[in-house]
Amino acid sequence: MTIPTLKQSSGSAHTRFLGFGASRGDLSVPNDDLVEPINSSDEWIQQRTGIISRTRASEGVLAVDMATDAAREAIQASGVDPVDFDLVVIATISNVQQSPSMAAVVADRVGANPAAAYDINAACAGYTYAVAQADALIRSGTAHYALVIGAEKLSDVVDPTDRSISFLLGDGAGAAVVGPSDTPGISPTVWGSDGSRADAVGMNSTLIDFREGRSEWPTLRQEGQTVFRWAVWEMAKVARQAIEDAGIAPSDLAAFVPHQANMRIIDEFAKQLGLPDSVVIARDIESTGNTSAASIPLATHRLLQGHPELSGGFALQIGFGAGLVFGAQIIVLP
């Protein structure tokens, strides 16, 4: 008896980014609007975080709505027909309706049915995780064109009286189209987690606690100094590894797009990496705030709008957050 050989899929040798889209919350919330409940000041928030204002979405606007708007812009920028998408991945921690997935709804809204669609929860590193998956699935032949989105409405999961993280957070969605390429456009991903310090940033209770009346609505909290030290020292090592694995040097970078967690972290990060002055650093946090999984694509979108000359250059993107999870890649900007 002849045993047939099992077929396996194979795809493009390389992948690249084809377009970006963005949708920020429709409200601009200055520091002065938030300081009274936390007994703080505009000066203190700016000094500690670099944030002047943050975008938040109106009550009737959901994360899935912002994800849809960002996706439509990215698709238009890419020139890919929506029917050609066979993968939609959304990174989010703030989908208030756990099922159906946000990705399935967005896939339908943009005309990408019957694409595979799912949400992932890797907090502020979620977008880099989604990029890693899209890259691998396209190169394996499991997918051909992917829509990768980070979408958050963090104003739904903050306590306005909390001094640890609430004033940092904003709402928005950033989207990117990833597709096949004749030349390399996405480097190997350096990713991982440190669950031993999971309590450093995350939700302060469970939905079961809330349902049973043992807690208020679960909201985000963080140990600021713990997160700061981890982000600056440990993530610098991850960033260096990503640069090395990509086969380039820091001087080859055109842009640095870290998770927009805190301006002090971003500046210290760049210092630790020894980035030359020629590298453009994304500082979208100043007017958008920390949007978790949405922060990197939102910052990239704004960077490309303000610096079109960066097109074709290398950008280091790194996400890090609750978990403690992290992911980093070098990409070629579209």
Side-chain angles (χ1 to χ4, degrees):
M1 178 179 176
T2 302
I3 299 176
T5 301
L6 191 68
K7 292 183 178 179
Q8 288 190 289
S9 60
S10 61
S12 173
H14 310 294
T15 61
R16 66 185 179 102
F17 282 83
L18 303 173
F20 281 87
S23 175
R24 289 171 171 82
D26 56 313
L27 306 174
S28 179
V29 181
N31 293 335
D32 284 337
D33 286 5
L34 305 178
V35 297
E36 185 176 350
I38 60 174
N39 189 28
S40 186
S41 67
D42 170 59
E43 181 182 12
W44 184 86
I45 293 176
Q46 288 200 45
Q47 183 181 38
R48 299 284 292 182
T49 71
I51 298 174
I52 297 173
S53 63
R54 75 281 299 139
T55 59
R56 289 188 173 174
S58 297
E59 184 177 349
V61 179
L62 300 175
V64 67
D65 300 321
M66 292 183 285
T68 302
D69 291 342
R72 286 173 174 152
E73 182 184 353
I75 292 170
Q76 183 176 14
S78 74
V80 178
D81 192 316
V83 300
D84 291 332
F85 285 92
D86 41 21
L87 177 65
V88 179
V89 185
I90 296 186
T92 183
I93 61 169
S94 57
N95 186 6
V96 291
Q97 185 176 4
Q98 292 295 296
S99 183
S101 70
M102 193 187 299
V105 174
V106 171
D108 178 61
R109 288 182 178 183
V110 302
N113 274 340
Y118 59 93
D119 297 349
I120 63 173
N121 179 345
C124 307
Y127 173 75
T128 61
Y129 275 44
V131 169
Q133 293 178 30
D135 167 56
L137 290 169
I138 292 171
R139 288 189 294 109
S140 75
T142 305
H144 299 89
Y145 289 98
L147 186 58
V148 178
I149 304 169
E152 305 285 13
K153 189 178 181 185
L154 298 175
S155 57
D156 284 338
V157 291
V158 297
D159 174 359
T161 67
D162 166 53
R163 285 178 61 89
S164 74
I165 198 172
S166 63
F167 56 89
L168 289 166
L169 304 177
D171 302 335
V177 172
V178 179
S181 174
D182 293 332
T183 56
I186 300 175
S187 77
T189 296
V190 179
W191 57 354
S193 66
D194 182 3
S196 69
R197 292 188 281 185
D199 290 340
V201 54
M203 307 304 288
N204 64 344
S205 62
T206 70
L207 289 174
I208 294 175
D209 292 331
F210 175 70
R211 183 188 66 191
E212 300 300 327
R214 295 190 294 265
S215 73
E216 300 294 326
W217 176 252
T219 54
L220 284 166
R221 295 288 197 278
Q222 75 168 348
E223 297 173 6
Q225 286 304 311
T226 300
V227 174
F228 183 91
R229 289 191 296 269
W230 176 77
V232 169
W233 300 107
E234 297 303 319
M235 292 305 96
K237 298 175 186 176
V238 172
R240 292 190 193 101
Q241 187 65 53
I243 292 171
E244 181 180 339
D245 288 357
I248 65 171
S251 58
D252 294 319
L253 291 172
F256 176 42
V257 191
H259 165 50
Q260 303 291 292
N262 179 308
M263 194 73 80
R264 292 167 60 216
I265 291 176
I266 293 170
D267 291 341
E268 184 61 29
F269 214 153
K271 181 180 177 182
Q272 290 293 323
L273 291 174
L275 298 179
D277 292 339
S278 59
V279 177
V280 179
I281 301 173
R283 291 187 171 90
D284 190 46
I285 189 172
E286 183 178 74
S287 59
T288 303
N290 178 343
T291 54
S292 188
S295 78
I296 292 175
L298 281 174
T300 305
H301 179 271
R302 176 161 282 171
L303 211 62
L304 289 170
Q305 285 189 322
H307 299 273
E309 73 278 6
L310 293 176
S311 178
F314 295 129
L316 164 62
Q317 59 183 31
I318 179 168
F320 46 88
L324 295 166
V325 295
F326 57 86
Q329 303 114 349
I330 308 299
I331 69 168
V332 175
L333 294 166

